[in-house]
Amino acid sequence: MSASSNISTKLEDGILSIYMDRPDKKNALTADMYTAMVEALQELDSTPEARVGFITGSKECFTAGNDLADFLQRPPSKGEEPPVFRFLKTLPKVEKPLVAAVNGPAIGIGVTMLLHCDLVYAATDSKLQMPFASLGACPEAGSALLLPQTMGYQRAAQLLMLSDFFTAEEGKQWGLINDVFSPDVYQAKAYEQAKRLSLQPANSLRVTKMLMKKAQKEVLEEIMELEMDYFGKMLKSPEAKEAINAFMEKRKPDFTQFN
Ligand code: COA
């Protein structure tokens, strides 16, 4: 059962679909939504009939990332294990294959969660960005490790330091996205691939995934702990408050007041 009406799940064809659906806020993720996502991922691994996870957004977009108002009011801090950190810790531990279908804005964790999916498909209208530095924060979800590995250090630095937007086609060229389709078919195409996975021997997929991730499991956990530590602290900084307030007040941030 979902803890949030903005996250729904459906089990069909051996596929547990997880839908992010909060269209008025571009599917920005709240604490309740993370809790529901964690429950859904746990349900995937604990339900024998669920052989593959399928993560997608709504007609408008994949997700605009963490709800920024939530960040301002309740910045996550490591001690209390907020739902966003529980989600980040659960994602790399999922044993069954995860397929993502991305469209429209995919921002922040909307991109970094893809680094933990096994197959990623995107629509041509996707608009991807990791604006952590521009928000006065730092990389999360292990992206400090996984992004340079996926696309090379300098390209990752450009995306993480300058917060540049990139397209689905660029994401494909850089190894983050398997394939790109038009907005009217991307979800069906991604679902077809999930169906193909659901027909494979489930144990072989679990072992394959475990083996591919094994070599850097510990280093990933270590970097994620460090990221969460910094992220929580940095969100309380004056730079982060200025960046988030500026977004909510629909103006450009002014960082020149801070050294
Ligand atoms: N948190 C909270 N609200 C958000 C949000 C977020 N991450 N992203 C979008 N919204 C809200 C907007 O405030 C706006 O609400 P309003 O209608 O009450 O004013 C609504 O969603 C629509 O967003 P808008 O900015 O008007 O849409 P757009 O199509 O012009 O731009 C985005 C879409 C995603 C590019 C833009 O909203 C954006 O950059 N969002 C912030 C992304 C971000 O920094 N995420 C955190 C990453 S760590």
Side-chain angles (χ1 to χ4, degrees):
M1 171 115 99
S2 162
S4 159
S5 56
N6 301 118
I7 300 291
S8 59
T9 57
K10 184 174 77 176
L11 178 56
E12 203 171 88
D13 307 318
I15 298 164
L16 184 76
S17 298
I18 304 171
Y19 302 95
M20 298 175 284
D21 189 18
R22 191 187 174 212
D24 55 322
K25 297 288 180 191
K26 303 278 172 189
N27 299 343
L29 296 164
T30 59
D32 283 351
M33 290 166 78
Y34 286 121
T35 300
M37 303 266 284
V38 169
E39 285 173 5
L41 293 175
Q42 289 168 342
E43 183 188 338
L44 170 65
D45 270 349
S46 64
T47 308
E49 299 76 38
R51 299 165 69 86
V52 181
F54 183 75
I55 304 179
T56 195
S58 54
K59 206 165 148 258
E60 294 73 21
C61 70
F62 190 60
T63 170
N66 203 104
D67 186 288
L68 287 172
D70 251 22
F71 261 168
L72 205 56
Q73 285 148 19
R74 288 177 291 275
S77 85
K78 235 176 106 185
E80 53 195 77
E81 189 86 324
V84 57
F85 287 173
R86 281 213 302 281
F87 175 67
L88 291 176
K89 285 182 176 180
T90 305
L91 203 48
K93 293 195 184 120
V94 174
E95 291 176 5
K96 294 180 184 173
L98 286 173
V99 177
V102 180
N103 67 318
I107 317 283
I109 202 164
V111 176
T112 56
M113 74 168 88
L114 304 178
L115 294 163
H116 300 276
C117 293
D118 302 285
L119 299 178
V120 178
Y121 299 94
T124 44
D125 67 350
S126 302
K127 208 175 140 185
L128 303 103
Q129 185 197 28
M130 288 165 287
F132 307 121
S134 301
L135 288 170
C138 66
E140 41 78 303
S143 55
L145 173 73
L146 301 175
L147 202 70
Q149 269 180 2
T150 303
M151 55 180 64
Y153 182 89
Q154 279 74 11
R155 196 165 274 145
Q158 182 181 336
L159 300 183
L160 289 172
M161 291 182 178
L162 289 175
S163 306
D164 282 353
F165 277 98
F166 61 104
T167 63
E169 202 48 61
E170 286 170 323
K172 182 178 171 185
Q173 282 165 26
W174 301 341
L176 177 68
I177 289 170
N178 289 79
D179 220 339
V180 181
F181 300 102
S182 67
D184 51 329
V185 298
Y186 80 98
Q187 216 175 40
K189 292 282 189 189
Y191 197 79
E192 266 172 35
Q193 294 294 78
K195 265 188 173 169
R196 289 183 59 206
L197 283 174
S198 77
L199 300 175
Q200 289 284 74
N203 193 44
S204 292
L205 299 189
R206 279 198 300 271
V207 173
T208 301
K209 180 165 179 166
M210 182 274 290
L211 291 173
M212 286 203 290
K213 306 233 169 213
K214 178 77 179 157
Q216 59 175 16
K217 188 172 174 288
E218 276 168 30
V219 64
L220 177 64
E221 279 167 10
E222 203 178 306
I223 197 86
M224 283 180 75
E225 283 296 325
L226 206 56
E227 287 174 346
M228 285 186 276
D229 213 7
Y230 273 104
F231 204 97
K233 286 180 191 147
M234 291 173 88
L235 268 188
K236 293 180 188 133
S237 68
E239 288 92 335
K241 285 184 179 150
E242 166 62 10
I244 298 173
N245 279 322
F247 173 75
M248 308 225 272
E249 291 160 16
K250 301 189 189 292
R251 62 172 171 84
K252 274 197 179 310
D254 173 13
F255 297 120
T256 58
Q257 50 188 315
F258 313 112
N259 295 314

